[in-house]
Amino acid sequence: MTEVARKGNIDDATEPDLAEAAGRLLERLSAAAAPLEAVAAARDLARVADQAMRAAVAGARTAGHTWQEIGDVLGSSRQAAFQRFGRPLDPRTGAPMTDTILPGAADRTAALVAGLVGGRWEEVRRDFDETMAAGLSPDQLATVWAQVVGAIGGYERMGEPTAHQAADHTVVNAPLFFEAGELTLRVTYDHDGRIAGFYLLRPDAL
């Protein structure tokens, strides 16, 4: 492997971190360690693996591969790959957009899904901004969810939510799986953490 090809995948700083984190997780899983130690080790491995993934994607882009090709390898759409790993230029300034994703946005979205499934409509609406609160009442939210269940069956599970920056907002996409179909919950958070957008989308609408 040439030095150029090596740098296009995982850099020298990331590789030992990845090996160390993987070894630590295997040690925790195979030993009589406290369960939370294994969770912490898995968290560390996921963080380093994400860094390695970003380095690999950056290398693929530098080598001329398209977002469609990268998405195919990742099992996602080109848009999802771009949203997760791309650094678009801000059309207002020409500078790369910052990765100032709202902390905890993915976890908050998972909590919203739990609220929908549990029928806790006011809880789901708690952080709506004024426009959202005025446009989507508890009764309307309940009606929308009932229509979804009536059309594609009962809720089964949520896939891994992904967050990306879109101008001044953080956007989270959470795949939702039902008995007879799939939807994506897309939640947009403003810079204050208020919910400025809340959509249930078909996969072909992403």
Side-chain angles (χ1 to χ4, degrees), residues 34-160:
L36 287 181
E37 291 182 7
V39 172
R43 175 206 61 204
D44 293 341
L45 177 59
R47 176 181 56 78
V48 180
D50 184 69
Q51 293 173 351
M53 178 75 80
R54 291 181 182 279
V57 169
R61 288 291 293 159
T62 299
H65 292 287
T66 66
W67 286 112
Q68 182 64 61
E69 291 175 309
I70 294 170
D72 289 344
V73 172
L74 296 176
S76 68
S77 67
R78 64 180 181 181
Q79 182 182 15
F82 173 76
Q83 288 175 345
R84 182 175 179 186
F85 298 108
R87 290 294 303 277
L89 298 180
D90 190 328
R92 299 168 297 184
T93 64
M97 291 186 178
T98 59
D99 290 329
T100 53
I101 292 175
L102 181 70
D107 290 338
R108 287 181 58 183
T109 301
L112 291 176
V113 172
L116 284 173
V117 175
R120 301 187 296 275
W121 317 120
E122 286 291 0
E123 178 181 316
V124 173
R125 298 176 68 258
R126 180 177 56 205
D127 293 330
F128 280 10
D129 66 14
E130 292 182 1
T131 301
M132 284 295 304
L136 191 58
S137 70
D139 286 344
Q140 290 171 320
L141 188 58
T143 298
V144 169
W145 189 252
Q147 290 171 344
V148 167
V149 172
I152 55 177
Y155 171 80
E156 294 183 337
R157 63 185 176 87
M158 180 185 72
E160 180 182 359

Side-chain angles (χ1 to χ4, degrees), residues 159-175:
E160 180 182 359
T162 59
H164 68 273
Q165 191 73 14
D168 300 323
H169 293 76
T170 294
V171 179
V172 179
N173 290 320

